[in-house]
Amino acid sequence: MSDPPYHTRIRKLMESAFTAHRVKELEPRIAGVVSDLIDSIADRGAADAIHDFAVPLTIRIICEQLGLDWSIKDRIQRWSIAVTAQIGRMQDREQMVAHAAEICDLQNYLAAKMEERRKDPREDMISDIVHARIERDDGTVDTLTFSEAISSIRALLIAGNETTATALGNLFYILATRPEIAQLLKDSVDDDRLLNRFVEELLRIEPPVRGLSRMTTREVELGGKLL
């Protein structure tokens, strides 16, 4: 929700957390988590696609990426509900206060982890973000401020977890209600191009986020309407 040059600066500083190396090393770990979850529900005869697969999968992966302990999964779920509620739906005062308390807990937790990584960097995204550096044209070094770093890490933890779980939920709904698509995917399990196109189309037709609020920087006419 920001424009250049501020957005450009933040993006450049964040790029160190999304190197090809960092993404590539996650792939086998993601595959391992998926296999573990499937094994845990395969013999049940029935399962809840969201609570038994989508939510634990995304929380485990985001914990892997950021270098957080998987044992806080229940807190992450509460934090995700609190943050998304503040921007996604109407609340009464009691709900807002309860969610604000959860967000304070989240901020304090992340601040402590950032301080740990500042003193002792690890191979994780929190360390990448805390120690991100870029050289300016004048030779000086630019870094993320504390508030920029913590808000970026919070966004990765909450948005990266909640939206992915929702996208997976949409995927399971399609597979459960469109057997011909489920069969097509089974028949095309080795066709990476088709599977990639399927994922892109799923995100286009059934996106996890239905709308984002935006403010115009100036008055503009669009489709005969003045914005």
Side-chain angles (χ1 to χ4, degrees):
M1 296 187 180
S2 58
D3 295 311
Y6 176 78
H7 177 270
T8 307
R9 172 180 160 269
I10 298 296
R11 180 165 180 155
K12 283 183 178 178
L13 282 160
M14 289 285 289
E15 280 176 354
S16 61
F18 292 93
T19 60
H21 164 72
R22 179 74 73 224
V23 174
K24 189 172 180 60
E25 73 173 8
L26 272 171
E27 190 172 338
R29 285 147 71 184
I30 292 171
V33 172
V34 171
S35 294
D36 288 346
L37 286 171
I38 291 174
D39 288 344
S40 71
I41 60 178
D43 297 328
R44 286 194 205 170
D48 185 309
I50 305 299
H51 296 290
D52 294 334
F53 189 85
V55 169
L57 171 63
T58 53
I59 291 179
R60 280 180 66 175
I61 297 306
I62 206 68
C63 284
E64 287 262 358
Q65 287 180 297
L66 293 173
L68 301 177
D69 192 336
W70 165 237
S71 65
I72 66 164
K73 58 184 183 297
D74 292 336
R75 290 171 76 185
I76 293 177
Q77 202 162 358
R78 293 200 307 271
W79 294 335
S80 299
I81 291 169
V83 172
T84 53
Q86 301 290 56
I87 59 174
R89 65 182 174 85
M90 297 295 290
Q91 306 171 83
D92 59 31
R93 179 174 174 79
E94 186 177 343
Q95 291 170 324
M96 289 188 74
V97 170
H99 289 148
E102 290 289 354
I103 294 171
C104 286
D105 184 42
L106 165 62
Q107 291 285 100
N108 289 329
Y109 176 83
L110 291 181
K113 292 300 176 184
M114 288 169 61
E115 181 60 18
E116 286 178 11
R117 301 306 195 276
R118 188 184 67 78
K119 295 177 179 176
D120 182 23
R122 303 180 192 174
E123 279 291 316
D124 58 42
M125 282 188 173
I126 291 182
S127 297
D128 292 339
I129 292 168
V130 169
H131 293 278
R133 304 281 189 277
I134 54 173
E135 189 172 327
R136 298 188 183 100
D137 293 337
D138 62 4
T140 59
V141 175
D142 190 15
T143 63
L144 292 165
T145 66
F146 174 81
S147 60
E148 289 168 347
I150 197 168
S151 66
S152 298
I153 294 167
R154 184 181 68 190
L156 287 171
L157 177 62
I158 303 302
N161 145 50
E162 201 275 340
T163 53
T164 309
T166 301
L168 285 169
N170 293 342
L171 164 66
F172 282 118
Y173 179 77
I174 292 290
L175 296 181
T177 58
R178 300 285 299 277
E180 74 280 9
I181 293 181
Q183 189 59 50
L184 172 66
L185 294 179
K186 285 181 182 178
D187 295 340
S188 309
V189 68
D190 296 319
D191 187 343
D192 286 344
R193 183 170 178 270
L194 184 142
L195 294 178
N196 285 336
R197 290 182 65 187
F198 169 76
V199 171
E200 289 173 359
E201 282 297 277
L202 174 73
L203 293 172
R204 183 179 71 85
I205 296 169
E206 295 291 346
V209 177
R210 293 285 176 173
L212 292 170
S213 60
R214 290 289 183 264
M215 296 291 289
T216 56
T217 56
R218 59 181 173 81
E219 286 190 352
V220 61
E221 187 173 310
L222 182 66
K225 299 293 184 181
L226 184 65
L227 305 180

